[in-house]
Amino acid sequence: MNTNLLRTITPNEIETYHRDGVLMLPGMFDKDWIELLNKGLDANIEAPTRRSRIWYKDTSGRSMFYDHTAWQNIDEYKKFIFNSPAAQICGQLMKSTIVNFFLIQYLFGLLEPSSKLPGIKMNLIGQLKVMMLVQFGCL
């Protein structure tokens, strides 16, 4: 599992993030991280906390699953949060040396824009069957 960046974040990507507030960065995590997160997701869906919610679900099975503090009880999530390059990526994008973790959300099968999910850009969900949003912030 990579603990450092697999590639450099370009000045153009940083500019895009600051302009749009969202950015897709492919190729930042090796397959071992993806497999670990899939295992964590399976555990989370199998045993969601009492705080879990499905915020949106349509007749095609597309949904948004939210479980606010599940990461505290799922080893795979904790390993990703504390050992992956995610915080380093966010720090570079936000130009900050301090990064705070907020939450993890999953979008399942959202292959077209939805007015129920404002702020999610089509170019992100248009190519993915499952997208994980890891929200970080800085001081």
Side-chain angles (χ1 to χ4, degrees):
M1 294 181 175
N2 64 302
T3 55
N4 291 307
L5 299 181
L6 292 177
R7 66 172 183 83
T8 302
I9 298 173
T10 69
N12 186 48
E13 289 171 327
I14 293 171
E15 179 184 321
T16 299
Y17 172 76
H18 283 267
R19 182 189 65 237
D20 298 342
V22 64
L23 178 68
M24 184 171 172
L25 289 171
M28 300 304 281
F29 301 97
D30 62 27
K31 69 178 180 66
D32 294 329
W33 283 119
I34 305 307
E35 290 170 6
L36 182 84
L37 288 168
N38 283 332
K39 184 178 174 187
L41 174 59
D42 290 342
N44 196 177
I45 290 174
E46 180 72 25
T49 72
R50 64 180 171 79
R51 293 170 298 280
S52 69
R53 302 286 182 272
I54 295 179
W55 281 347
Y56 169 74
K57 189 169 189 173
D58 68 11
T59 57
S60 299
R62 296 176 298 199
S63 64
M64 183 173 182
F65 174 72
Y66 169 85
D67 200 348
H68 185 263
T69 54
W71 71 271
Q72 296 171 343
N73 300 315
I74 297 175
D75 291 336
E76 294 85 1
Y77 289 172
K78 286 192 283 190
K79 188 172 184 178
F80 176 79
I81 292 163
F82 293 111
N83 299 322
S84 81
Q88 183 182 1
I89 292 165
C90 294
Q92 285 189 26
L93 289 174
M94 295 183 289
K95 300 179 182 179
S96 177
T97 58
I98 298 173
V99 175
N100 297 310
F101 169 75
F102 290 107
L103 56 92
I104 295 175
Q105 298 176 49
Y106 287 93
L107 306 175
F108 294 95
L110 289 169
L111 300 176
E112 53 197 58
S114 169
S115 61
K116 296 182 186 272
L117 299 171
I120 305 299
K121 298 198 180 254
M122 179 57 191
N123 64 338
L124 288 178
I125 61 177
Q127 301 174 13
L128 303 170
K129 293 191 180 205
V130 177
M131 178 174 65
M132 183 180 85
L133 300 176
V134 181
Q135 297 182 2
F136 289 88
C138 65
L139 297 175

